[in-house]
């Protein structure tokens, strides 16, 4: 219990209310699925916590299949991102976690190293449904520590360029395609910006990293961490050069003011006809489809490439985890095993819940919103970079997002900000 109290205090100090990647962008108020009576938990069912209401309906179909097959009832609960980690923090300190829940790379190292998550290693070895070789190695690695595995990969996500066809058509500008470089995008964004009418060519808040400047950094030869994660690479010449370009060619020419971006995210600007382009993760498709304006007027293309032809996307993936001290660990494992099975992963993609972590099962996902070119997200898998992480990701990432505001506003130069972030990261990594 001592380790759990330490974790709770650490998480409380690091809690951030901003939306994170991998599904955080479309969270809404909590709802619950139907309870049952076969197993303990809410209403006699296994309690399962997620944070994305857009995925609830599809996951409910999958858990219904599981219940029909096993007789184990499941109660799905949606807890918005800004409350989700508070819930898990309280559960970690009080011994009352949900039976099964989503895990994110920002938090996984902390939870694994503090004995909060059920060790799945031996169960996976004995399973005829789970073979970790069937998942992207980087995604699996997010949920492994000291040779042990603590979560089953749920999904993966990539980043693409969304654009407003109506704005492009009105200006007589050709839509983005796979020939575009970052400079093409910047020049087009500047051309489509009309600050007097409140229409902007591009928007990406200082807090957007996976679905923002991380993609540029890695495409232009920079990085956030060195190869063995022993030091920050924010102060590398390549990273500083990429971020200086980001500031000179996008922030100052085509983006809304920081105050506007703090209040209105790019997806909202797209949905109100005030934005020409934005980088968005695959987890946002459901939100765009449900918005009448974006559904009718927007589409998606692959990310721009660097001048040398490099086109990289930052990718991430959630994991299905269970409480180590839960009252129903065997039933929880059966659900994790089912979630990770080829059958359930294929259905997750087919239903349009998300792209699935099980390799080769996501092709049907592109049909979940035929009005959009979702093939672009799958095309981005040709060159992926896992979202940078260490044990203290949440601490240094929060700091970097806050400090980046000073570069956007001009209170510090971009080079100063990059070096400041690197210094803070190195302090945190040294403490790990």
């Amino acid at each position: 219990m001592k380790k759990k109290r330490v974790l709770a205090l650490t998480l409380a100090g690091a809690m951030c209310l901003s939306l994170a990647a991998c599904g955080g962008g479309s969270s809404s108020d909590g709802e619950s699925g139907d309870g049952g009576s076969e197993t303990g938990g809410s209403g006699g069912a296994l309690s399962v916590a997620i944070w994305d209401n857009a995925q609830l309906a599809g996951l409910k179909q999958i858990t219904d299949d599981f219940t029909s097959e096993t007789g184990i009832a499941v109660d799905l609960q949606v807890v918005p991102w800004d409350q989700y980690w508070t819930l898990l923090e309280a559960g970690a300190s009080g011994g009352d976690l949900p039976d099964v829940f989503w895990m994110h790379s920002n938090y996984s190292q902390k939870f694994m190293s503090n004995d909060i998550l059920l060790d799945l290693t031996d169960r996976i070895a004995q399973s005829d449904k789970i073979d970790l070789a069937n998942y992207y190695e980087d995604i699996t690695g997010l949920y492994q520590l000291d040779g042990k595995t603590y979560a089953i990969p749920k999904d993966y996500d990539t980043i693409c360029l969304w654009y407003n066809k109506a704005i492009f058509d009105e200006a007589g500008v050709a839509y983005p395609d796979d020939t575009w470089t970052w400079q093409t995008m910047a020049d087009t964004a500047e051309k489509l910006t009309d600050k007097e009418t409140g229409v902007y060519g591009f928007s990406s808040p200082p807090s957007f990293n996976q679905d923002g400047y991380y993609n540029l950094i890695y495409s232009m030869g920079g990085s956030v961490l060195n190869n063995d994660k022993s030091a920050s690479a924010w102060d590398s010449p390549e990273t500083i050069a990429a971020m200086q370009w980001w500031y000179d060619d996008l922030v100052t020419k085509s983006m809304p003011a920081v105050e506007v971006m703090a209040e209105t995210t790019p997806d909202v600007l797209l949905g109100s006809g005030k934005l020409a382009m934005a980088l968005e993760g695959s987890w946002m498709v459901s939100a765009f489809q449900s918005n009448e304006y974006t559904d009718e007027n927007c589409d998606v293309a692959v990310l721009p490439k660097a001048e040398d032809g490099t086109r990289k996307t930052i990718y991430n993936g959630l994991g299905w985890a269970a409480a180590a001290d839960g009252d129903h660990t065997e039933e929880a494992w059966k659900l994790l095993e089912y979630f990770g099975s080829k059958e359930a992963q294929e259905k997750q993609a087919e239903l349009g819940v998300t792209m699935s972590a099980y390799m080769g099962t996501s092709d049907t996902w592109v049909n979940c919103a035929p009005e959009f070119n979702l093939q672009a997200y799958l095309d981005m898998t040709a060159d992926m970079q896992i979202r940078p992480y260490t044990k203290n990701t949440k601490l240094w990432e929060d700091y970097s997002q806050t400090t980046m505001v000073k570069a956007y506003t001009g209170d510090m130069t971009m080079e100063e900000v990059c070096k400041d972030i690197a210094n803070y990261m190195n302090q945190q990594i040294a403490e790990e």
Side-chain angles (χ1 to χ4, degrees):
M1 187 61 71
K2 180 179 179 181
K3 283 188 176 181
K4 293 184 179 182
R5 291 195 182 102
V6 171
L7 174 63
L9 291 172
T10 302
L11 290 179
M15 201 60 60
C16 175
L17 300 183
S18 63
L19 295 176
C22 247
S26 53
S27 298
S28 60
D29 291 338
E31 294 183 21
S32 66
D34 296 331
S37 57
E38 296 297 322
T39 305
S42 178
L46 276 176
S47 57
V48 179
I50 66 175
W51 63 70
D52 187 357
N53 196 62
Q55 298 189 37
L56 178 64
L59 290 177
K60 181 65 169 61
Q61 291 191 48
I62 293 171
T63 56
D64 284 349
D65 291 344
F66 170 77
T67 299
S68 296
E69 183 177 305
T70 65
I72 300 171
V74 176
D75 181 42
L76 275 168
Q77 301 282 345
V78 180
V79 183
W81 172 269
D82 58 357
Q83 301 170 26
Y84 184 88
W85 299 105
T86 304
L87 169 73
L88 293 195
E89 171 219 328
S93 61
D96 191 26
L97 284 165
D99 294 309
V100 172
F101 45 91
W102 281 351
M103 185 48 51
H104 189 281
S105 60
N106 274 14
Y107 296 89
S108 59
Q109 297 290 316
K110 286 287 186 184
F111 275 77
M112 291 187 295
S113 62
N114 283 276
D115 301 329
I116 304 302
L117 307 183
L118 182 66
D119 179 2
L120 308 177
T121 311
D122 292 341
R123 292 176 171 85
I124 291 172
Q126 298 169 12
S127 175
D128 60 0
K129 293 182 179 179
I130 304 298
D131 181 350
L132 295 181
N134 289 320
Y135 309 96
Y136 287 106
E137 183 178 359
D138 285 335
I139 301 298
T140 302
L142 296 174
Y143 307 108
Q144 292 179 324
L145 183 68
D146 297 333
K148 297 181 179 181
T149 301
Y150 293 90
I152 301 297
K154 174 192 177 291
D155 54 32
Y156 78 100
D157 50 59
T158 58
I159 310 300
C160 278
L161 177 65
W162 281 78
Y163 60 95
N164 188 320
K165 295 183 292 184
I167 293 177
F168 274 76
D169 290 343
E170 184 176 352
V173 175
Y175 298 154
D177 60 30
D178 62 5
T179 68
W180 271 35
T181 64
W182 287 99
Q183 193 62 55
T184 309
M185 190 195 80
D187 293 343
T188 305
E190 183 178 12
K191 182 176 182 178
L192 296 177
T193 297
D194 186 348
K195 295 183 179 181
E196 290 186 3
T197 61
V199 174
Y200 296 90
F202 185 73
S203 180
S204 186
S207 60
F208 279 36
N209 46 37
Q210 182 189 349
D211 44 354
Y213 41 78
Y214 277 5
N215 301 277
L216 176 80
I217 288 173
Y218 283 89
S219 292
M220 291 191 172
S223 58
V224 172
L225 285 165
N226 65 1
N227 290 336
D228 64 2
K229 301 179 184 177
S230 63
S232 174
W234 264 102
D235 55 354
S236 70
E238 295 82 3
T239 299
I240 292 173
M243 290 306 297
Q244 189 64 54
W245 181 92
W246 180 268
Y247 177 78
D248 292 339
D249 285 60
L250 289 171
V251 175
T252 63
K253 295 180 179 179
S254 307
M255 292 197 203
V258 170
E259 295 78 12
V260 174
M261 289 189 284
E263 296 178 355
T264 312
T265 52
D267 60 299
V268 175
L269 289 172
L270 275 172
S272 59
K274 295 296 185 180
L275 185 64
M277 291 178 285
L279 307 186
E280 297 285 354
S282 49
W283 61 87
M284 290 298 297
V285 170
S286 178
F288 287 137
Q289 188 178 36
S290 64
N291 180 284
E292 183 176 346
Y293 183 89
T294 51
D295 189 59
E296 181 179 347
N297 293 290
C298 296
D299 206 351
V300 58
V302 293
L303 288 178
K305 57 188 177 182
E307 296 300 323
D308 66 358
T310 302
R311 190 196 320 271
K312 281 185 178 289
T313 180
I314 304 299
Y315 81 118
N316 198 20
L318 302 184
W320 284 110
D325 297 333
D327 293 329
H328 311 286
T329 55
E330 290 309 311
E331 292 86 353
W333 159 246
K334 289 180 181 179
L335 180 56
L336 296 185
E337 185 180 40
Y338 186 78
F339 276 142
S341 68
K342 185 176 182 181
E343 173 189 359
Q345 291 274 296
E346 286 178 334
K347 187 159 188 176
Q348 176 176 261
E350 181 181 347
L351 292 173
V353 177
T354 54
M355 297 190 292
S356 293
Y358 197 110
M359 290 185 289
T361 62
S362 292
D363 289 348
T364 57
W365 177 79
V366 301
N367 301 319
C368 73
E371 62 270 43
F372 303 135
N373 174 34
L374 299 188
Q375 181 62 40
Y377 281 109
L378 294 184
D379 291 345
M380 289 305 305
T381 62
D383 196 350
M384 300 189 293
Q385 169 66 44
I386 195 66
R387 193 174 192 261
Y389 70 95
T390 69
K391 186 176 180 179
N392 284 332
T393 304
K394 193 69 179 67
L395 295 177
W396 57 255
E397 192 170 84
D398 282 354
Y399 183 85
S400 68
Q401 291 171 334
T402 301
T403 307
M404 187 57 64
V405 174
K406 299 177 182 178
Y408 271 53
T409 59
D411 292 336
M412 294 175 65
T413 68
M414 183 59 76
E415 181 175 358
E416 289 171 339
V417 164
C418 290
K419 291 181 176 180
D420 185 66
I421 293 171
N423 182 60
Y424 182 85
M425 280 182 65
N426 286 331
Q427 293 175 22
Q428 298 305 316
I429 292 171
E431 293 179 5
E432 296 177 1

